[in-house]
Amino acid sequence: MKQIISELTTIDSGHSDIGLALSNASSVLLWVADVTKQCVFFNKAWLQYRGRSLEQEYGYGWADGIHEDDYERCLSIYVTAFDARQPFSMEYRLQRNDGSYGWIQDDGSPFYDGYGEFKGYIGSCFDITESKRLFEALEKKSQQLEEANQRYEESVKAANIGFWEWDLISNEVRFSREYKRQIGYADDEFVDAFESWESRVHPDDLPGTLKLIEKSIDECTKKHESEFRFQHKDGHYLWIFCHASVLQDENGKPVKMIGSHVDISDRKKMESELIQSQKLEALGLLAGGVAHDFNNQLASVMGFADLIVDSSALSQAKQYADKISRTAEHAKHLTKQLLSFARKQDITFTPVDIHAEIYAVIDLLRHSIDKRIKIETNLTAPRFVVLADKYLLQNALLNLGLNASDAIHESGYIEVSTNVIEVKECDPHASFSSLEPGEHISIKVSDSGSGMSADDIQKAMEPFYTTKPQGKGTGLGLSSVYGSVQSFGGLINIKSELNEGSTIEIILPLSELIARKASSSDELEASSDGRSLTILVVDDEASIREVCADFLITLEHTPLFASDGRHAIELYAQRWPDIDLVLLDMMMPEMNGRETLKALKAINPNVKVLMCSGFMSDDTVAGIKKEGALDVIGKPFRLRELAERISSL
């Protein structure tokens, strides 16, 4: 033993006792093996750890303490390294003096004498049981954390919620993986930058959204909410609901904004469908009165026409014809109003003249409600332009008017009034708490009807709640009004008592913008240059073709006719060099006006087309012009209007 220690310490045998003392003084478990792989030395720390004597551990006796599950692996590592004269490191369980097993890290290396002769191996061992336990616990926690994170991400994905964080000091932005997935991007495809967000917000929504964000930062709000359209990777727009909070430092300075991003496109689609459903319900109520009024117009037309036939005096016939013309104009106006109200289109916030919309709705109501109900107005507001969707606003006003008329039994009155009110910060009036400070317009619709109980008032805004008899209403009227008013940044109040009538008040923020007046084709001014043109008239209605023939002949033009799109294409293909203009109907069976226009342009890219339609939105008109039509004329049109339009083209 002393010889081995002497060789290990490279000092003479007289000092080998020092090496032995050093090894026994160490808390590290030490062992020495000779060239036969048998262990010939274990220090005091090893023997105490094992609770065995040196004689018991000699040779391969120590290996009896290795856990049976680790034995073969450890023996293989030891023998392989020994034969190759290579260092080794292994972990295994070794039986301790109390019979339990501890985890050991065993590191062995070959040693040589001063002449370079191989003398065996020397090794050191450390008990790593506690480290192993801590590592396993950490690994378990890490796995649990990973599983929790995976569940969180799956929950976020299922909930359709993306998250973002914006450092207001450094302007650094971070978007979550789900945020990017919602808009079609992989995590590494979408750059974490404010410009990435800003460039994808719909241009019509960006100014208002930025203004709301700026306001929230200035006020350090904990509840920022906004809705805007956001561009998907494939180019289409999603409706996004954003909820955020502004974080402050110890001095109250805003330093960070964190928020969520939810795709509400499906909800918006459902809201649009709900609004359209409500319009159809209202149209059903209007239809009876309008049909009655329209029949009156037709009766007048037919009566005057009979008088012309029977009249012997030309001057008298002209008077009757003039009355027919005026009656037809009235019917045209009535139809146009109904079509304008009924159409379905995207929600667009523009400056809207409240008074103009009130008069338009009252005009419709007068044709549909009981004639014994008087409609009065008291529109005193000196300013009356708001930022809203025109058609949602029309729908809201019409619903209030219809509800008021339903509450009146037999005779009574409906009054619509307006005035301007000032909302101040911290306004003590509880109902104003949700409004922004500034000037607002108050629109009140009052009636002398049956009124509502306090319980009915509480539930009035709930979807599908109605006080009307079964089959008389869906309960969507006031709930849709409430939703629209909220989207305009306003509020709605109800004051009513049973048998005392009701007053419903809408309060909306006034806008500094100017409402755009609707353009009217009746106001077009054009003068004829006296040229005779060849005009192809394409319409599936024979009566329209006959009227157009007389019109065009009166204007000294030469008409050609086609009863549908296919016939028009065949005729145009044969005679297109002679045809100066095509008067093309929008709505036809088999091939509609747009399809026919495309085919005509394939024959002659410079074809001149004047499209005709009973009713189209401004967006549709713009789209048709973009596709190649020169202009659009509304049906029914007057002779003078057609002459001016042809001349202008």
Side-chain angles (χ1 to χ4, degrees):
M1 175 61 62
K2 288 183 178 181
Q3 182 183 353
I4 293 172
I5 297 298
S6 176
E7 290 173 344
L8 289 171
T9 56
T10 64
I11 58 176
D12 63 73
S13 59
H15 294 87
S16 61
D17 289 338
I18 296 175
L20 182 62
L22 286 172
S23 66
N24 283 327
S26 173
S27 61
V28 178
L29 282 60
L30 301 175
W31 57 267
V32 178
D34 62 15
V35 294
T36 67
K37 300 185 181 73
Q38 297 187 64
C39 286
V40 296
F41 173 75
F42 294 94
N43 73 343
K44 191 175 181 179
W46 175 285
L47 298 175
Q48 288 176 346
Y49 186 86
R50 292 278 289 131
R52 285 160 59 96
S53 67
L54 189 61
E55 289 74 20
Q56 290 174 311
E57 297 291 276
Y58 267 149
Y60 292 105
W62 67 275
D64 294 340
I66 298 176
H67 194 284
E68 60 180 347
D69 292 342
D70 302 333
Y71 186 86
E72 292 296 334
R73 174 178 57 83
C74 289
L75 186 61
S76 175
I77 293 171
Y78 177 75
V79 171
T80 300
F82 205 102
D83 290 343
R85 306 292 191 262
Q86 294 292 322
F88 67 82
S89 181
M90 59 184 177
E91 293 179 4
Y92 55 88
R93 283 162 289 183
L94 185 67
Q95 193 171 41
R96 292 183 284 209
N97 55 25
D98 62 358
S100 65
Y101 284 89
W103 275 97
I104 294 293
Q105 180 177 317
D106 191 341
D107 299 315
S109 295
F111 74 92
Y112 302 82
D113 64 13
Y115 301 100
E117 183 181 352
F118 175 65
K119 292 296 182 178
Y121 265 72
I122 183 169
S124 60
C125 301
F126 297 89
D127 186 321
I128 59 171
T129 305
E130 184 63 18
S131 298
K132 197 84 170 173
R133 186 189 67 78
L134 290 173
F135 179 78
E136 288 175 352
L138 184 63
E139 198 172 45
K140 185 178 180 181
K141 287 290 183 183
S142 177
Q143 185 178 354
Q144 290 174 342
L145 184 62
E146 186 176 344
E147 290 172 355
N149 187 54
Q150 187 176 355
R151 287 195 300 272
Y152 168 75
E153 288 195 1
E154 288 173 355
S155 299
V156 166
K157 187 174 180 179
N160 199 28
I161 302 174
F163 293 100
W164 55 270
E165 181 179 311
W166 180 21
D167 189 316
L168 302 176
I169 306 301
S170 66
N171 201 36
E172 293 177 352
V173 181
R174 189 181 69 81
F175 303 104
S176 71
R177 185 182 289 108
E178 175 60 18
Y179 183 107
K180 298 173 184 179
R181 187 200 66 79
Q182 282 184 23
I183 55 176
Y185 290 91
D187 199 19
D188 59 350
E189 287 183 314
F190 191 84
V191 180
D192 287 338
F194 183 81
E195 293 74 18
S196 298
W197 172 86
E198 187 177 31
S199 64
R200 287 169 175 82
V201 178
H202 194 286
D204 292 345
D205 301 338
L206 183 59
T209 304
L210 289 175
K211 188 175 180 181
L212 282 175
I213 291 173
E214 185 180 347
K215 183 174 183 292
S216 294
I217 293 173
D218 289 343
E219 297 176 356
C220 292
T221 182
K222 298 295 182 185
K223 189 180 178 182
H224 166 88
E225 292 182 349
S226 59
E227 293 181 5
F228 51 86
R229 286 163 291 180
F230 199 70
Q231 193 171 41
H232 190 273
K233 182 181 179 181
D234 64 14
H236 82 281
Y237 281 91
L238 304 170
W239 269 103
I240 299 299
F241 172 74
C242 171
H243 184 281
S245 295
V246 177
L247 305 183
Q248 303 166 264
D249 62 13
E250 61 275 10
N251 299 317
K253 180 182 177 181
V255 293
K256 187 173 288 187
M257 198 170 186
I258 56 174
S260 60
H261 164 118
V262 182
D263 181 356
I264 57 169
S265 302
D266 289 341
R267 193 194 84 190
K268 283 288 187 179
K269 183 180 178 182
M270 290 177 64
E271 286 177 356
S272 176
E273 290 172 354
L274 182 64
I275 290 165
Q276 192 64 12
S277 172
Q278 181 56 35
K279 283 186 177 184
L280 292 175
E281 180 188 350
L283 279 172
L285 296 171
L286 290 170
V290 171
H292 173 75
D293 193 71
F294 202 75
N295 277 335
N296 287 339
Q297 312 305 320
L298 291 177
S300 298
V301 169
M302 289 185 290
F304 287 128
D306 288 340
L307 288 170
I308 289 174
V309 172
D310 295 335
S311 175
S312 58
L314 181 60
S315 60
Q316 193 175 31
K318 285 184 177 180
Q319 290 177 3
Y320 294 145
D322 183 57
K323 290 179 180 179
I324 288 176
S325 179
R326 278 182 286 153
T327 304
E329 279 291 339
H330 182 77
K332 172 185 174 181
H333 175 70
L334 187 61
T335 305
K336 185 177 180 180
Q337 280 185 301
L338 274 179
L339 288 170
S340 175
F341 174 74
R343 66 174 168 170
K344 180 179 181 179
Q345 61 178 41
D346 293 336
I347 296 172
T348 306
F349 283 67
T350 58
V352 180
D353 182 335
I354 285 282
H355 286 177
E357 298 311 318
I358 289 173
Y359 286 126
V361 167
I362 287 174
D363 198 20
L364 272 176
L365 287 172
R366 285 199 170 113
H367 292 290
S368 57
I369 66 175
D370 195 314
K371 303 299 182 186
R372 292 173 293 180
I373 299 174
K374 293 182 179 180
I375 302 178
E376 302 169 356
T377 58
N378 184 25
L379 311 184
T380 60
R383 294 178 57 211
F384 38 80
V385 175
V386 299
L387 195 63
D389 180 89
K390 177 179 179 179
Y391 301 101
L392 284 184
L393 187 57
Q394 285 178 351
N395 187 45
L397 294 171
L398 186 60
N399 270 301
L400 295 184
L402 291 171
N403 282 348
S405 68
D406 287 342
I408 298 171
H409 304 296
E410 296 184 351
S411 62
Y413 73 87
I414 298 171
E415 182 184 65
V416 184
S417 62
T418 64
N419 69 291
V420 171
I421 59 175
E422 179 77 21
V423 175
K424 299 179 180 178
E425 287 192 49
C426 303
D427 199 304
H429 197 307
S431 66
F432 288 178
S433 59
S434 62
L435 296 175
E436 293 291 329
E439 286 192 331
H440 291 64
I441 187 169
S442 164
I443 307 123
K444 293 181 180 178
V445 179
S446 305
D447 65 67
S448 59
S450 54
M452 289 186 281
S453 67
D455 186 52
D456 287 337
I457 293 173
Q458 286 291 108
K459 298 177 181 178
M461 305 297 179
E462 295 177 9
F464 306 109
Y465 180 79
T466 179
T467 58
K468 298 175 185 177
Q470 189 171 1
K472 294 292 185 181
T474 62
L476 297 174
L478 276 179
S479 65
S480 70
V481 173
Y482 175 75
S484 297
V485 170
Q486 274 206 321
S487 71
F488 304 154
L491 61 79
I492 182 169
N493 292 321
I494 302 176
K495 293 181 181 178
S496 183
E497 291 183 22
L498 281 174
N499 303 316
E500 295 295 330
S502 302
T503 295
I504 298 182
E505 180 185 29
I506 294 174
I507 300 175
L508 299 175
L510 284 165
S511 172
E512 298 293 335
L513 300 174
I514 299 173
R516 184 177 66 89
K517 292 185 178 180
S519 61
S520 171
S521 60
D522 295 334
E523 297 172 1
L524 288 173
E525 294 184 5
S527 59
S528 174
D529 58 9
R531 288 191 304 124
S532 178
L533 306 175
T534 298
I535 300 176
L536 173 58
V537 180
V538 188
D539 201 299
D540 60 309
E541 289 288 341
S543 59
I544 299 296
R545 295 197 300 273
E546 290 172 9
V547 168
C548 284
D550 290 342
F551 274 7
L552 295 175
I553 290 169
T554 302
L555 296 171
E556 298 182 350
H557 298 308
T558 302
L560 299 175
F561 304 102
S563 58
D564 55 47
R566 297 191 187 284
H567 183 198
I569 293 165
E570 291 171 5
L571 184 56
Y572 191 76
Q574 296 169 10
R575 301 190 55 180
W576 70 267
D578 302 323
I579 297 173
D580 300 297
L581 179 68
V582 179
L583 197 59
L584 179 60
D585 186 35
M586 179 67 180
M587 300 300 294
M588 295 185 295
E590 295 185 25
M591 286 186 74
N592 63 31
R594 296 179 101 146
E595 293 168 335
T596 305
L597 172 61
K598 186 176 180 180
L600 294 176
K601 287 189 72 64
I603 298 169
N604 175 19
N606 298 317
V607 61
K608 293 183 178 181
V609 176
L610 177 60
M611 197 75 82
C612 308
S613 176
F615 182 81
M616 284 184 291
S617 68
D618 292 342
D619 291 341
T620 306
V621 170
I624 291 171
K625 287 184 177 181
K626 192 174 181 180
E627 290 167 19
L630 294 179
D631 208 345
V632 180
I633 187 170
K635 286 182 177 179
F637 43 75
R638 305 298 300 273
L639 175 59
R640 176 178 173 275
E641 183 186 352
L642 180 61
E644 290 173 344
R645 196 64 65 88
I646 291 172
S647 177
S648 68
L649 299 175

